[in-house]
Amino acid sequence: MREVLAEAAFALFLERGFEQTTVDDIVARAGVGRRSFFRYFPSKEDAVFPDHERCLADMTAFLATVGDVDPVDAVCDAARLVLRMYSANPEFSVQRYRLTREVPGLRTYELSVVRRYEQTLAGHLRGRYGESGDGALRAEVIAASVVAAHNNGLRTWLRSGGEGDAEAAVDHALGLVRQVWGSAAAAGAPMPSSEGDVVVMVAAKGAPMWRVVQQVEAAIGQE
């Protein structure tokens, strides 16, 4: 039923526009009552992103099983779960990306979802680095870097209309994060070579997280 409602909602959003579509329109298209809609989705916005709750749960479960794997490798691998969710249905993902760009309210909602992924990654990292001082700061900065890098690769693929290799784009972006924050970098080992430029960013302690994310995205070419 959740998938039926989501498909009906998204079809109407594309046909009529997000703002012009009501919950009554959605349930009429799906052939169910209003109570059924609100049992699965608190709002119209939630119906645009029906797969993120499951992906967040999968990410949490994955991180709970990684053991002593390098923490940066672990959170990079966790971020790839989001990529796989998008690449499993390229047509829907591209259409949703375009719709989200057109509706400010959906963009705001999407940012709140992205923040939840970031908090999940940061929570795992704090468990490895500590909950206070530089450990907590390191966790927040790395989590923000992973999300920014992942989204750079993902959005490059989405802007292309789903053409090309999404995994290669995301892997390249996450490779920069590994080079800066991974175990080899932390131990002072030389960074591995890359086909592109390596970006190293230094943020002032206490800088607001939005500023750190902004600087990372700007450094790796985020739109």
Side-chain angles (χ1 to χ4, degrees):
M1 180 57 64
R2 182 182 179 86
E3 292 178 1
V4 168
L5 286 165
E7 289 174 4
F10 200 77
L12 286 169
F13 296 153
L14 294 178
E15 291 171 15
R16 305 179 184 181
F18 180 80
E19 301 295 348
Q20 291 70 37
T21 300
T22 67
V23 172
D24 287 334
D25 294 332
I26 296 169
V27 297
R29 174 69 64 92
V32 300
R34 285 174 60 89
R35 291 180 63 184
S36 293
F37 180 88
F38 290 111
R39 185 178 299 120
Y40 293 97
F41 301 111
S43 67
K44 285 195 304 179
E45 288 80 4
D46 290 281
V48 180
F49 303 95
D51 38 13
H52 281 294
E53 288 298 328
R54 183 182 305 168
C55 192
L56 277 161
D58 289 345
M59 178 180 286
T60 301
F62 172 80
L63 290 171
T65 66
V66 296
D68 293 330
V69 171
D70 176 74
V72 177
D73 286 342
V75 292
C76 285
D77 288 342
R80 286 193 180 85
L81 297 176
V82 184
L83 171 66
R84 290 170 192 156
M85 177 191 73
Y86 276 86
S87 61
N89 192 342
E91 181 179 0
F92 172 74
S93 296
V94 170
Q95 289 176 336
R96 176 167 61 184
Y97 175 75
R98 292 171 177 167
L99 180 66
T100 302
R101 302 281 75 71
E102 296 170 0
V103 182
L106 291 179
R107 177 59 176 158
T108 300
Y109 185 95
E110 183 184 49
L111 289 173
S112 72
V113 175
V114 170
R115 178 58 180 161
R116 291 177 66 193
Y117 283 118
E118 184 179 319
Q119 290 173 329
T120 299
L121 300 179
H124 174 77
L125 292 167
R126 285 195 301 272
R128 300 294 301 275
Y129 298 141
E131 292 282 350
S132 60
D134 286 348
L137 174 63
R138 185 180 181 88
E140 293 289 340
V141 172
I142 293 174
S145 300
V146 169
V147 169
H150 170 274
N151 287 349
N152 176 267
L154 173 63
R155 289 170 185 165
T156 297
W157 176 71
L158 291 171
R159 286 193 295 269
S160 75
E163 299 294 330
D165 190 340
E167 289 197 19
V170 170
D171 283 347
H172 175 71
L174 291 175
L176 298 181
V177 177
R178 280 192 165 99
Q179 289 169 14
V180 175
W181 294 108
S183 57
M191 292 183 183
S193 60
S194 170
E195 294 180 0
D197 294 332
V198 175
V199 178
V200 178
M201 190 202 77
V202 178
K205 184 175 181 180
M209 192 53 57
W210 66 268
R211 174 65 68 185
V212 175
V213 174
Q214 185 182 65
Q215 290 176 320
V216 172
E217 290 184 337
I220 62 177
Q222 173 68 7
E223 180 181 57

